[in-house]
Amino acid sequence: MTDVLVIGAGPTGLTLAIDLARRGVGVRIVDTAAGPSNASRGKGLQPRTLEVFDDLGVIGPILDIARPYPPMRAYVGSEVVWEGALGESRPASPDVPYPSIRMLPQSITEAILRDRLASFGVAVEYGTTVGHVTADATATLADGSVIEADYLVGADGGRSTVRRALEIPFLGETFETERMALADVRFAPGLLDREHWHIWGDLATQELALGLCPLPGTDVFQLTAPLAPGEEPSDLQNLVLGRSGRTDLVIQETTWESLYRVNIRLASSYRVGRSFLAGDAAHAHSPAGGQGLNTGVQDAYNLGWKLASGSAALLDSYQAERQPIAAAVLGLSTLLLRGDSAAPQRGQDTDQLDLHYRDSALSQDRRRVRSGLQAGDRAPDAVLPDGTLFDRFRGPSPTVLVYQARYADAIELDADAARTYGVGGGGFVVVRPDGYVGLLADADQGDAVAVYRTTLL
């Protein structure tokens, strides 16, 4: 018997396992693959995800390898005809320490997360195929053995065994005519510089024919090539030569390849009994805007502390908070995929810093005069005499902030931070374990803080 069984060892499952392990929760994480993946897959880490990784203790190794998205360089054959950036890089600020998306192949992200999980004495159990699960958090493996747990989480991707076993509808569409060849390929050193994302296509219509993006921490490029209806990527080498118009782009090695179909879907429920869904098992996105991996990581970050508590009210809030977020993100990524003129711009609209839980039952605002942040918003960082607020948030417990008020073990805000948090006249802020504002209260409402904190434990 284990406390929590996590099925799937991608970024979502690994994030959840780390969050549980650091809280002292017994966790097992299994994956049907024979071993770790070497695929680049999701390569964009949004600012909010970087904040999650800061809290989980992996931001150092992530930033050691991750790089800003490179500028794009468009060609006709070998001739450069346009250069530009995918989005503007923004400077760090006291409240947003990681303001811009960073690129890192998913395989490296997963390796860093596995190392962190191992520091808690937990290893991924590869080669473990789950044949069936039940609502009471029981998993039957392909070899006939059974794992019983207090809770079970399916983080096993778009073709989730867990979702299918629980008979949860996966609502939406698969666009069979909208497909893309994806691959990690290696060329002779120096053939293409690694400071640009190299693209070929129609600049007038902004239709991509071929993209070759250098991946940090590797010597390979991620190949992306949209396919026409009926077209099959049977020969990547001929595809590269034909679409680039260059005879010198000879692939030396292909380390991973995949055929991607545009799949826009959302699970009708994130939970049946004591079994849950997270990540791609709960929502399938287009790759546009770099939202899928990041939304899954934040599903896990939302769910971990709630599973650790065992509170029925907290566990009920998981779907209520995360399903609307996924629905909104699916709409955003679909607009970006379609190139819709009404689509938000990459950057602040896609960095997930503005996503909130204002409508959640866990978000309470007791201030008589409301300004600044609202309950349910992401809690911003701020500089303290001995570090930052994020330094103090790091860990498994809620945090109480005060300004011109008294509360045991609280962190005193300065005037600037108090105004940012909307308690410039004095008061209290309770920040949830996942870094969102749970409670805002005036200086004479200290009793409300004590009552509210009990709901988060």
Side-chain angles (χ1 to χ4, degrees):
M1 185 80 173
T2 190
D3 293 337
V4 181
L5 173 64
V6 179
I7 300 173
T12 299
L14 290 166
T15 295
L16 179 59
I18 292 168
D19 199 22
L20 292 168
R22 69 173 179 162
R23 298 173 193 280
V25 176
V27 57
R28 290 180 66 180
I29 178 169
V30 303
D31 196 287
T32 190
S37 169
N38 68 343
S40 61
R41 298 188 185 276
K43 61 184 182 295
L45 300 179
Q46 297 290 355
R48 181 57 188 158
T49 298
L50 295 174
E51 293 180 354
V52 172
F53 287 163
D54 183 324
D55 183 45
L56 296 181
V58 297
I59 193 62
I62 291 285
L63 294 183
D64 283 345
I65 305 174
R67 295 292 180 265
Y69 268 53
M72 291 182 149
R73 177 172 280 178
Y75 301 82
V76 172
S78 299
E79 180 185 358
V80 178
V81 295
W82 176 84
E83 291 187 351
L86 188 63
E88 292 185 3
S89 180
R90 289 168 285 168
S93 61
D95 58 329
V96 183
Y98 312 111
S100 300
I101 188 172
R102 288 292 182 267
M103 181 186 292
L104 189 66
Q106 183 171 321
S107 58
I108 296 179
T109 299
E110 290 175 359
I112 291 170
L113 292 172
R114 282 196 304 274
D115 286 346
R116 179 60 171 155
L117 183 60
S119 73
F120 295 103
V122 181
V124 177
E125 300 174 40
Y126 285 109
T128 304
T129 300
V130 175
H132 187 68
V133 303
T134 63
D136 67 355
T138 299
T140 302
L141 305 185
D143 64 6
S145 60
V146 175
I147 301 175
E148 295 181 342
D150 291 333
Y151 301 103
L152 179 150
V153 181
D156 51 342
R159 299 177 180 178
S160 171
T161 296
V162 175
R163 187 187 64 244
R164 294 176 181 181
L166 296 176
E167 299 183 348
I168 297 175
F170 206 28
L171 307 175
E173 297 179 82
T174 298
F175 299 88
E176 294 290 348
T177 60
E178 297 187 43
R179 299 168 305 135
M180 180 179 293
L182 298 174
D184 295 339
V185 296
R186 181 176 289 115
F187 298 98
L191 187 60
L192 290 171
D193 74 73
R194 299 190 64 81
E195 285 70 51
H196 294 87
W197 190 334
H198 307 277
I199 60 174
W200 290 261
D202 189 327
L203 289 179
T205 60
Q206 296 187 350
E207 292 183 4
L208 175 70
L210 172 68
L212 295 170
C213 180
L215 296 173
T218 77
D219 62 351
V220 303
F221 291 79
Q222 187 186 69
L223 179 155
T224 54
L227 300 173
E231 182 181 10
E232 296 298 331
S234 57
D235 188 336
L236 288 177
Q237 180 63 79
N238 284 334
L239 184 150
V240 169
L241 297 177
R243 295 198 178 189
S244 69
R246 292 177 55 168
T247 60
D248 60 334
L249 289 181
V250 177
I251 298 173
Q252 291 189 325
E253 184 181 8
T254 299
T255 60
W256 167 77
E257 62 182 302
S258 179
L259 177 63
Y260 173 81
R261 290 176 174 83
V262 173
N263 206 17
I264 312 296
R265 294 183 179 273
L266 182 65
S268 63
S269 175
Y270 279 27
R271 176 189 184 185
V272 177
R274 292 187 282 116
S275 294
F276 298 77
L277 300 178
D280 289 351
H283 41 78
H285 303 252
S286 93
Q291 302 294 291
L293 178 155
N294 296 275
T295 303
V297 164
Q298 291 168 60
D299 286 346
Y301 195 54
N302 182 284
L303 181 58
W305 63 282
K306 297 174 180 179
L307 288 173
S309 76
S311 161
L314 291 180
L315 290 172
D316 286 344
S317 75
Y318 169 62
Q319 176 175 321
E321 292 187 343
R322 292 306 301 172
Q323 192 178 50
I325 294 287
V329 169
L330 283 171
L332 168 62
S333 61
T334 302
L335 285 173
L336 290 168
L337 173 71
R338 299 281 180 262
D340 193 303
S341 59
Q345 297 299 305
R346 289 174 172 86
Q348 187 170 351
D349 295 312
T350 58
D351 61 20
Q352 302 197 346
L353 294 174
D354 292 336
L355 298 180
H356 61 81
Y357 305 129
R358 292 176 185 171
D359 297 329
S360 171
L362 301 181
S363 301
Q364 300 181 21
D365 193 335
R366 297 176 176 271
R367 294 172 298 174
R368 297 177 184 87
V369 178
R370 299 180 181 183
S371 63
L373 290 187
Q374 298 183 43
D377 287 352
R378 160 196 168 269
D381 202 3
V383 176
L384 301 174
D386 57 349
T388 69
L389 276 182
F390 279 6
D391 293 333
R392 302 293 293 274
F393 290 166
R394 193 176 294 115
S397 302
T399 306
V400 179
L401 312 177
V402 296
Y403 180 65
Q404 296 183 354
R406 296 181 64 82
Y407 197 89
D409 300 322
I411 298 171
E412 182 73 32
L413 298 175
D414 64 18
D416 289 340
R419 283 191 291 271
T420 297
Y421 273 86
V423 290
F428 303 91
V429 184
V430 180
V431 178
R432 300 169 15 161
D434 58 354
Y436 284 83
V437 175
L439 173 72
L440 290 160
D442 290 329
D444 60 350
Q445 297 175 327
D447 290 347
V449 176
V451 172
Y452 181 78
R453 286 186 69 189
T454 64
T455 68
L456 302 184
L457 301 174

